[in-house]
Amino acid sequence: MKTRIIITAAAILFSVTLANASSKQRSLIFCDALGRTLTMPMMAEEAAEATPFDTRAEFYRIHANDTIRTFDISKMLKEEKEEELPFDLDSVLKTIK
């Protein structure tokens, strides 16, 4: 008996969901926890006209410009003073070989 009630309740919930999904209603209704209701009208999507240029090529060109862009931060950095070595580098390198 319990299974028949559970199956009937599930079938009712499923059919209500399908009925809402296939309704011809032209608005979306949202309800929040405070009891306020927001109704948004829906518009049918119209076919867009074709673009006069190659969209994919244009997208890749813009993307390449963004990835190749270089930032010059040399003006923000402090200039380093070059210090002299306290020893002769050539003599040190000759002794290592």
Side-chain angles (χ1 to χ4, degrees):
M1 187 68 180
K2 287 182 181 180
T3 55
R4 185 179 289 174
I5 294 172
I6 292 173
I7 291 173
T8 306
I12 291 172
L13 288 175
F14 186 70
S15 64
V16 167
T17 304
L18 286 178
N20 285 337
S22 64
S23 68
K24 300 292 181 187
Q25 194 175 4
R26 296 286 182 192
S27 62
L28 289 174
I29 299 172
F30 298 100
C31 299
D32 65 356
L34 298 175
R36 295 177 294 197
T37 303
L38 172 66
T39 305
M40 291 178 53
M42 294 184 347
M43 296 176 59
E45 186 175 332
E46 298 175 6
E49 59 186 50
T51 54
F53 54 86
D54 186 9
T55 348
R56 180 168 288 190
E58 189 67 17
F59 173 77
Y60 285 128
R61 184 187 65 79
I62 293 169
H63 181 69
N65 286 345
D66 288 343
T67 55
I68 296 173
R69 182 185 305 164
T70 56
F71 294 104
D72 184 22
I73 60 170
S74 61
K75 295 176 183 175
M76 293 185 260
L77 297 175
K78 198 176 190 182
E79 289 187 25
E80 294 182 12
K81 294 180 181 176
E82 195 169 315
E83 299 177 9
E84 291 187 20
L85 296 176
F87 52 87
D88 185 22
L89 186 60
D90 290 332
S91 62
V92 172
L93 293 175
K94 287 180 185 175
T95 57
I96 293 176
K97 291 181 183 179

